[in-house]
Coordinates of all heavy atoms in Angstrom, one line a residue:
W69 N 0.9 -1.2 0.0 CA 0.0 0.0 0.0 C 0.9 1.2 0.0 O 1.8 1.3 0.8 CB -0.9 0.0 1.2 CG -2.0 -1.0 1.2 CD1 -2.0 -2.2 1.8 CD2 -3.3 -0.9 0.5 NE1 -3.2 -2.9 1.5 CE2 -4.0 -2.0 0.8 CE3 -3.9 0.2 -0.2 CZ2 -5.3 -2.2 0.3 CZ3 -5.1 -0.1 -0.7 CH2 -5.8 -1.2 -0.5
Y70 N 0.6 2.1 -0.9 CA 1.3 3.4 -1.0 C 0.2 4.5 -0.8 O -1.0 4.2 -0.9 CB 1.9 3.6 -2.3 CG 3.2 2.9 -2.5 CD1 3.2 1.5 -2.7 CD2 4.4 3.5 -2.6 CE1 4.4 0.8 -2.9 CE2 5.6 2.8 -2.8 CZ 5.6 1.4 -2.9 OH 6.7 0.8 -3.1
R71 N 0.6 5.7 -0.5 CA -0.3 6.8 -0.3 C 0.3 8.1 -0.9 O 1.6 8.2 -1.0 CB -0.7 7.0 1.1 CG 0.4 7.5 2.1 CD -0.2 7.5 3.5 NE 0.8 8.0 4.4 CZ 0.7 8.0 5.8 NH1 -0.5 7.5 6.3 NH2 1.6 8.4 6.5
Q72 N -0.5 9.0 -1.3 CA -0.1 10.2 -1.9 C -1.0 11.3 -1.6 O -2.2 11.2 -1.7 CB 0.0 10.0 -3.5 CG 0.7 11.2 -4.2 CD 1.0 10.8 -5.6 OE1 0.3 10.0 -6.3 NE2 2.0 11.5 -6.2
V73 N -0.4 12.5 -1.3 CA -1.2 13.7 -1.1 C -0.8 14.7 -2.2 O 0.4 14.6 -2.7 CB -1.0 14.3 0.3 CG1 -1.4 13.4 1.4 CG2 0.5 14.7 0.5
P74 N -1.6 15.6 -2.6 CA -1.3 16.5 -3.7 C 0.0 17.3 -3.4 O 0.3 17.7 -2.3 CB -2.5 17.5 -3.7 CG -3.6 16.7 -3.1 CD -3.0 15.8 -2.1
G75 N 0.9 17.3 -4.4 CA 2.1 18.0 -4.3 C 3.3 17.2 -3.7 O 4.4 17.8 -3.6
K76 N 3.0 16.0 -3.3 CA 4.0 15.2 -2.7 C 4.2 13.9 -3.4 O 3.3 13.4 -4.2 CB 3.7 14.9 -1.2 CG 3.8 16.1 -0.3 CD 3.7 15.7 1.1 CE 3.9 16.9 2.0 NZ 3.8 16.6 3.5
Q77 N 5.4 13.3 -3.3 CA 5.6 12.0 -3.9 C 4.8 10.9 -3.2 O 4.5 11.0 -2.0 CB 7.1 11.6 -3.8 CG 8.0 12.4 -4.8 CD 9.4 11.9 -4.8 OE1 9.9 11.4 -3.8 NE2 10.0 12.0 -6.0
R78 N 4.5 9.9 -4.0 CA 3.8 8.7 -3.5 C 4.8 8.0 -2.5 O 6.0 7.9 -2.8 CB 3.4 7.8 -4.6 CG 2.4 6.7 -4.2 CD 1.9 6.0 -5.5 NE 1.2 6.8 -6.3 CZ 0.5 6.4 -7.4 NH1 0.5 5.1 -7.7 NH2 -0.2 7.3 -8.1
E79 N 4.3 7.6 -1.3 CA 5.2 7.0 -0.4 C 4.7 5.6 0.0 O 3.5 5.4 0.1 CB 5.3 7.9 0.9 CG 4.0 8.1 1.6 CD 4.2 8.8 3.0 OE1 5.4 9.2 3.3 OE2 3.2 9.0 3.7
L80 N 5.6 4.7 0.4 CA 5.3 3.4 0.8 C 4.7 3.5 2.2 O 5.2 4.1 3.1 CB 6.5 2.5 0.8 CG 6.3 1.1 1.4 CD1 5.4 0.3 0.5 CD2 7.6 0.4 1.6
V81 N 3.5 2.8 2.4 CA 2.9 2.7 3.7 C 3.3 1.4 4.4 O 3.8 1.3 5.5 CB 1.4 2.8 3.6 CG1 0.8 2.6 5.0 CG2 1.0 4.2 3.1
A82 N 3.1 0.3 3.6 CA 3.3 -1.0 4.1 C 3.5 -2.0 3.0 O 2.9 -1.8 1.9 CB 2.2 -1.5 5.1
R83 N 4.2 -3.1 3.2 CA 4.4 -4.1 2.2 C 4.4 -5.5 2.8 O 4.9 -5.6 3.9 CB 5.7 -3.8 1.4 CG 6.1 -4.7 0.3 CD 7.2 -4.2 -0.5 NE 8.3 -3.8 0.3 CZ 9.2 -2.8 0.0 NH1 9.0 -2.1 -1.1 NH2 10.2 -2.5 0.8
I84 N 3.9 -6.5 2.0 CA 4.0 -7.8 2.5 C 4.3 -8.8 1.4 O 3.7 -8.6 0.3 CB 2.6 -8.2 3.2 CG1 2.6 -9.6 3.8 CG2 1.4 -8.0 2.2 CD1 1.5 -9.9 4.7
V85 N 5.2 -9.7 1.6 CA 5.6 -10.6 0.5 C 4.8 -11.9 0.8 O 4.1 -12.1 1.8 CB 7.1 -10.9 0.5 CG1 7.8 -9.6 0.2 CG2 7.6 -11.5 1.8
S86 N 4.9 -12.8 -0.2 CA 4.1 -14.0 -0.2 C 4.3 -14.8 1.1 O 3.3 -15.4 1.6 CB 4.5 -14.9 -1.4 OG 3.8 -16.1 -1.4
G87 N 5.5 -14.9 1.7 CA 5.7 -15.7 2.9 C 5.2 -15.0 4.1 O 5.2 -15.6 5.2
G88 N 4.8 -13.7 4.0 CA 4.3 -13.1 5.2 C 5.1 -12.0 5.8 O 4.7 -11.3 6.7
S89 N 6.4 -11.9 5.4 CA 7.2 -10.8 5.9 C 6.7 -9.4 5.5 O 6.2 -9.2 4.4 CB 8.7 -10.9 5.3 OG 9.2 -12.1 5.8
T90 N 6.8 -8.5 6.5 CA 6.2 -7.2 6.3 C 7.2 -6.1 6.6 O 8.2 -6.3 7.3 CB 5.0 -7.0 7.2 OG1 5.4 -7.1 8.6 CG2 3.9 -8.0 6.9
N91 N 7.0 -4.9 6.1 CA 7.7 -3.7 6.5 C 6.7 -2.6 6.4 O 5.8 -2.6 5.6 CB 9.0 -3.5 5.8 CG 8.8 -3.3 4.3 OD1 8.5 -4.3 3.6 ND2 9.0 -2.1 3.8
Y92 N 7.0 -1.6 7.3 CA 6.1 -0.4 7.4 C 6.9 0.9 7.4 O 8.0 0.9 7.8 CB 5.3 -0.5 8.8 CG 4.4 -1.7 8.9 CD1 4.8 -2.9 9.4 CD2 3.1 -1.6 8.5 CE1 4.0 -3.9 9.6 CE2 2.2 -2.6 8.7 CZ 2.7 -3.8 9.2 OH 1.8 -4.9 9.3
A93 N 6.2 1.9 7.0 CA 6.7 3.3 7.1 C 6.8 3.6 8.6 O 5.9 3.2 9.4 CB 5.9 4.3 6.4
D94 N 7.8 4.3 9.1 CA 7.9 4.6 10.5 C 6.7 5.4 11.0 O 6.3 5.2 12.1 CB 9.1 5.5 10.7 CG 10.4 4.7 10.6 OD1 10.4 3.5 10.7 OD2 11.5 5.4 10.4
S95 N 6.0 6.1 10.1 CA 4.9 7.0 10.6 C 3.7 6.2 10.9 O 2.7 6.7 11.5 CB 4.6 8.0 9.5 OG 4.3 7.3 8.3
V96 N 3.6 4.9 10.5 CA 2.4 4.1 10.7 C 2.7 2.9 11.6 O 1.7 2.2 11.9 CB 1.8 3.6 9.4 CG1 1.5 4.8 8.4 CG2 2.6 2.6 8.7
K97 N 3.9 2.7 12.0 CA 4.2 1.5 12.8 C 3.5 1.5 14.1 O 3.4 2.6 14.7 CB 5.7 1.5 13.1 CG 6.6 1.0 11.9 CD 8.1 0.9 12.3 CE 8.9 0.5 11.1 NZ 10.4 0.5 11.4
G98 N 2.9 0.4 14.4 CA 2.1 0.3 15.7 C 0.7 0.7 15.5 O -0.2 0.5 16.4
R99 N 0.3 1.3 14.4 CA -1.1 1.7 14.1 C -1.7 1.0 13.0 O -2.9 0.7 13.0 CB -1.1 3.2 13.8 CG -0.6 4.1 15.0 CD -0.8 5.6 14.7 NE -0.2 6.1 13.5 CZ -0.8 6.6 12.4 NH1 -2.1 6.8 12.4 NH2 -0.1 7.0 11.4
F100 N -0.9 0.7 11.9 CA -1.4 0.0 10.7 C -0.9 -1.4 10.7 O 0.2 -1.7 11.2 CB -0.9 0.7 9.5 CG -1.5 2.1 9.2 CD1 -2.3 2.7 10.2 CD2 -1.3 2.7 8.0 CE1 -2.8 4.0 9.9 CE2 -1.9 3.9 7.7 CZ -2.6 4.6 8.7
T101 N -1.7 -2.3 10.2 CA -1.3 -3.7 10.0 C -1.7 -4.2 8.6 O -2.9 -4.0 8.2 CB -2.0 -4.6 11.0 OG1 -1.7 -4.2 12.4 CG2 -1.6 -6.0 10.9
I102 N -0.7 -4.7 7.9 CA -1.0 -5.2 6.6 C -1.0 -6.8 6.7 O -0.3 -7.4 7.4 CB 0.1 -4.8 5.6 CG1 -0.3 -5.2 4.1 CG2 1.5 -5.4 5.9 CD1 0.6 -4.6 3.1
S103 N -2.0 -7.3 6.0 CA -2.1 -8.8 6.0 C -2.6 -9.2 4.6 O -3.0 -8.4 3.8 CB -3.1 -9.3 7.0 OG -4.4 -8.7 6.8
R104 N -2.6 -10.5 4.3 CA -3.0 -11.0 3.0 C -3.6 -12.4 3.1 O -3.4 -13.1 4.1 CB -1.8 -11.1 2.1 CG -0.7 -12.0 2.5 CD 0.5 -11.9 1.5 NE 0.2 -12.4 0.2 CZ 1.0 -12.1 -0.9 NH1 2.1 -11.3 -0.7 NH2 0.7 -12.6 -2.1

């Protein structure tokens, strides 16, 4: 998941690979959870 606001670059929010490993932007750690 990426996000974008007007006038700014699109930024990564969270990512998950097939095996389940995840990584998050520092700004959302502890608040957002990605799953598949």
Side-chain angles (χ1 to χ4, degrees):
W69 289 97
Y70 285 71
R71 66 187 181 188
Q72 189 171 25
V73 298
K76 292 190 176 182
Q77 285 189 328
R78 195 171 294 188
E79 64 173 2
L80 175 68
V81 176
R83 180 168 52 209
I84 184 168
V85 297
S86 178
S89 295
T90 60
N91 60 289
Y92 296 91
D94 288 342
S95 59
V96 307
K97 284 181 180 177
R99 300 189 297 122
F100 291 10
T101 302
I102 190 169
S103 60
R104 62 188 291 165

